[in-house]
């Protein structure tokens, strides 16, 4: 049997699949592994209790449960949920949205797959059309999503050095040439893996540039506002007819229900709905059913602001304190944590690659993700890629503190040439 080129590039040879297997295997072999590698959101009892209560109400309410499991929703998503979302965004931000501007997908991961391949790939004359990532490091999950190889083209950032071992990436607008082959621009804000939040100024410029080039701007808002609002800096939410805003229920604490949301102009939504019908028939309805009341009442915003955001902010601050304590006396910098659930550490001049560091840490029972995976589409090599790691602080404080101490020890050994 021989796989097609699609089959080959989308089967387990892909780097991210191997890495995820590696993380999964390491965990199943040794349950005591300190998991600072994955992207799972934390388990917040107060939020979980709210969803449990809602599930109970569904079970108790006439035939609601039977309809939930027994009916296909329309391919654009469950109608009451879509209308409720449009209403929430209109009320909150004044965006002129109707239900025709919203599509629901099986997770935001599948939304980006459908969007990327709808907008980029081979054009009618066979020409290559690409997605521009104007700032890498960027989300690892985009890396292998192009059906056309070489779908991504990406740029290095500029680096702003800040006090207290902090730094921040910015879009390098001076070197941001948008070629004829670019058919969409994409950024995650807050960014996975760095916790960066592109400034309002950067977003305004990207919106203007994408409009000037007649291509949409995809804003991946999986951690952003109004929910789950894991965002610690000031950032104005934006949408217009040229912006494709991708959202998710995952980081609200519902990664298992696989619900993504796309807000875009009607043409994009029609295209996406068509692809969703072909690939999935429709979208699973559990996420919509569990959250629709909270969206209609606005409670989803208060839960995000009052429970979810403070939960992660406290964890981020605590993890940064541990890092400053344990890495004292060695070269290190932390990307300023402005949102999402990760810390991005940079070890300038590290004598070993981050891939080697990953292996050494795995042997010592700590899982992180080495930095070089987060530069999809970036041409050429760049030593910075091999000097960074991503760790998540969403696990229990004991796991995070222990993990950080071991990482610090291993990094010091590497600097000392041991
Ligand atoms: C930036 C970003 N976008 C999208 C996703 C995909 O989320 P989901 O498919 O669970 O909605 C993730 C998941 O970690 C993410 O970090």
């Amino acid at each position: 049997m021989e796989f097609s080129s699609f089959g080959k590039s989308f089967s387990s040879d892909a780097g991210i699949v191997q890495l995820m297997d590696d993380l999964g295997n390491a965990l199943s072999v040794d349950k005591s592994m300190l998991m600072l590698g994955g992207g799972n959101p934390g388990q917040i009892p107060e939020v979980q209790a709210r969803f449990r209560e809602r599930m109970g109400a569904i079970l108790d309410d006439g035939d609601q449960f039977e309809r939930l499991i027994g009916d296909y929703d329309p391919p654009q998503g469950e109608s009451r949920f879509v209308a409720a979302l449009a209403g929430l965004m209109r009320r909150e931000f004044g965006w002129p949205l109707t239900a025709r501007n919203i599509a629901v997908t099986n997770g935001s991961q599948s939304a980006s797959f459908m969007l990327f391949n709808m907008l980029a790939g081979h054009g009618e004359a066979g020409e290559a059309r690409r997605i521009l990532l104007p700032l890498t490091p960027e989300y690892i999950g985009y890396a292998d999503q192009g059906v056309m190889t070489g779908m991504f083209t990406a740029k290095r950032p500029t680096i702003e050095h800040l006090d207290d071992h902090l730094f921040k990436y910015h879009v390098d607008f001076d070197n941001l040439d948008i070629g004829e082959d670019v058919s969409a621009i994409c950024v995650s804000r807050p960014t996975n893996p760095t916790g960066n939040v592109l400034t309002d100024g950067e977003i305004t410029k990207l919106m203007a540039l994408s409009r000037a080039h007649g291509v949409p701007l995809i804003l991946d808002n999986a951690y952003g506002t109004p929910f789950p609002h894991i965002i610690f800096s000031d950032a104005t939410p934006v949408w217009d007819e040229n912006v494709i805003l991708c959202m998710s229920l995952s980081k609200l604490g519902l990664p298992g229900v696989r619900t993504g949301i796309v807000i875009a102009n009607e043409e994009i939504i029609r295209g996406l709905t068509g692809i969703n019908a072909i690939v999935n028939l429709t979208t699973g309805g559990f996420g919509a059913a569990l959250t629709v009341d909270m969206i209609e009442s606005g409670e989803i915003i208060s839960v995000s602001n009052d429970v979810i955001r403070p939960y992660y902010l406290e964890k981020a601050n605590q993890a940064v304190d541990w890092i400053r304590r344990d890495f004292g006396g060695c070269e290190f910098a932390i990307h300023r944590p402005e949102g999402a659930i990760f810390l991005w550490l940079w070890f300038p001049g590290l004598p070993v690659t981050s891939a080697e560091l990953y292996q050494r840490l795995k042997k010592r029972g700590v899982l992180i993700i080495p930095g070089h995976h987060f530069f999809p589409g970036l041409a050429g090599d760049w030593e910075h890629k091999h000097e960074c790691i991503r760790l998540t602080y969403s696990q229990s404080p004991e796991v995070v503190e222990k993990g950080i101490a071991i990482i610090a020890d291993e990094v010091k050994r590497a600097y000392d040439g041991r």
Side-chain angles (χ1 to χ4, degrees):
M1 180 183 62
E2 193 180 328
F3 281 7
S4 67
S5 58
F6 171 88
K8 281 180 190 149
S9 70
F10 276 74
S11 66
S12 53
D13 289 343
I16 173 68
V17 180
Q18 271 178 6
L19 186 77
M20 289 305 167
D21 269 359
D22 204 11
L23 295 181
N25 288 340
L27 276 183
S28 56
V29 171
D30 181 359
K31 302 251 185 304
S32 65
M33 273 280 182
L34 303 172
M35 182 52 159
L36 271 52
N40 214 79
Q43 317 246 322
I44 309 178
E46 203 176 330
V47 179
Q48 289 178 320
R50 185 65 191 81
F51 292 129
R52 174 177 281 271
E53 186 190 315
R54 174 72 191 131
M55 190 68 217
I58 291 170
L59 290 168
D60 290 344
D61 179 18
D63 66 348
Q64 216 192 119
F65 176 72
E66 283 69 23
R67 280 188 285 121
L68 174 58
I69 61 168
D71 292 341
Y72 286 119
D73 286 334
Q76 192 194 337
E78 200 274 323
S79 311
R80 187 179 146 206
F81 181 65
V82 168
L85 278 167
L88 182 88
M89 298 302 196
R90 271 198 313 268
R91 284 197 306 279
E92 274 300 296
F93 305 132
W95 299 340
L97 299 176
T98 72
R100 289 191 298 275
N101 295 112
I102 296 182
V104 187
T105 61
N106 289 315
S108 150
Q109 188 70 16
S110 84
S112 59
F113 176 80
M114 292 187 279
L115 285 168
F116 290 157
N117 290 293
M118 179 171 105
L119 297 166
H122 294 294
E124 292 214 276
E127 79 285 8
R129 298 160 53 89
R130 297 194 167 82
I131 305 288
L132 170 65
L133 307 176
L135 191 164
T136 47
E138 184 51 279
Y139 176 43
I140 194 170
Y142 300 153
D144 297 299
Q145 286 205 317
V147 171
M148 179 186 82
T149 44
M151 165 106 81
F152 294 97
T153 173
K155 298 290 176 185
R156 292 183 192 188
T158 61
I159 298 177
E160 181 188 3
H161 297 272
L162 303 164
D163 290 341
D164 294 333
H165 290 282
L166 295 178
F167 72 104
K168 178 172 167 65
Y169 292 126
H170 291 284
V171 178
D172 184 0
F173 284 102
D174 290 343
N175 291 304
L176 191 65
D177 46 319
I178 300 175
E180 283 290 299
D181 58 340
V182 169
S183 52
I185 301 176
C186 174
V187 291
S188 60
R189 183 194 199 224
T191 307
N192 175 356
T194 54
N196 193 12
V197 173
L198 269 69
T199 62
D200 286 354
E202 286 174 309
I203 292 294
T204 306
K205 272 191 187 173
L206 287 175
M207 286 172 79
L209 275 172
S210 52
R211 189 172 277 285
H213 285 81
V215 300
L217 175 64
I218 301 172
L219 290 179
D220 183 342
N221 196 33
Y223 301 89
T225 203
F227 58 83
H229 201 80
I230 310 174
I231 189 160
F232 316 137
S233 63
D234 289 333
T236 310
V238 294
W239 183 83
D240 70 15
E241 291 269 323
N242 199 50
V243 166
I244 303 176
L245 189 69
C246 297
M247 301 192 52
S248 171
L249 296 184
S250 293
K251 312 302 169 176
L252 205 61
L254 294 171
V257 303
R258 311 304 305 128
T259 305
I261 298 153
V262 178
I263 305 179
N265 69 44
E266 293 186 20
E267 185 187 1
I268 298 275
I269 295 301
R270 271 197 305 275
L272 187 62
T273 301
I275 300 174
N276 199 35
I278 290 168
V279 178
N280 297 309
L281 283 189
T282 182
T283 298
F286 267 89
L290 287 175
T291 54
V292 68
D293 282 2
M294 296 169 77
I295 291 172
E296 284 175 348
S297 68
E299 187 194 351
I300 197 160
I301 294 178
S302 51
V303 166
S304 299
N305 292 350
D306 303 343
V307 183
I308 296 175
R309 179 182 176 279
Y311 173 89
Y312 286 104
L313 179 59
E314 193 195 327
K315 280 182 169 289
N317 288 337
Q318 176 66 83
V320 168
D321 285 348
W322 285 328
I323 290 170
R324 289 208 174 105
R325 181 190 70 193
D326 292 350
F327 282 77
C330 101
E331 279 275 338
F332 74 96
I334 311 168
H335 192 286
R336 185 162 71 197
E338 297 175 327
I341 60 177
F342 310 103
L343 289 180
W344 178 254
L345 305 187
W346 174 25
F347 308 113
L350 189 73
V352 301
T353 61
S354 56
E356 170 62 22
L357 186 62
Y358 162 74
Q359 293 297 346
R360 292 184 187 183
L361 287 169
K362 198 167 83 172
K363 283 202 191 103
R364 293 190 62 186
V366 183
L367 291 173
I368 50 95
I369 302 204
H372 65 281
H373 288 290
F374 296 93
F375 295 81
L378 187 66
D381 207 7
W382 181 28
E383 69 185 19
H384 186 76
K385 281 169 48 170
H386 306 286
E387 296 176 338
C388 297
I389 62 171
R390 185 194 85 176
L391 52 92
T392 171
Y393 51 77
S394 64
Q395 301 300 306
S396 76
E398 298 73 40
V399 167
V400 177
E401 186 176 16
K402 246 169 129 179
I404 286 172
I406 296 171
I407 299 168
D409 184 58
E410 205 50 57
V411 167
K412 285 178 184 171
R413 283 174 189 232
Y415 272 124
D416 292 348
R418 282 184 281 150

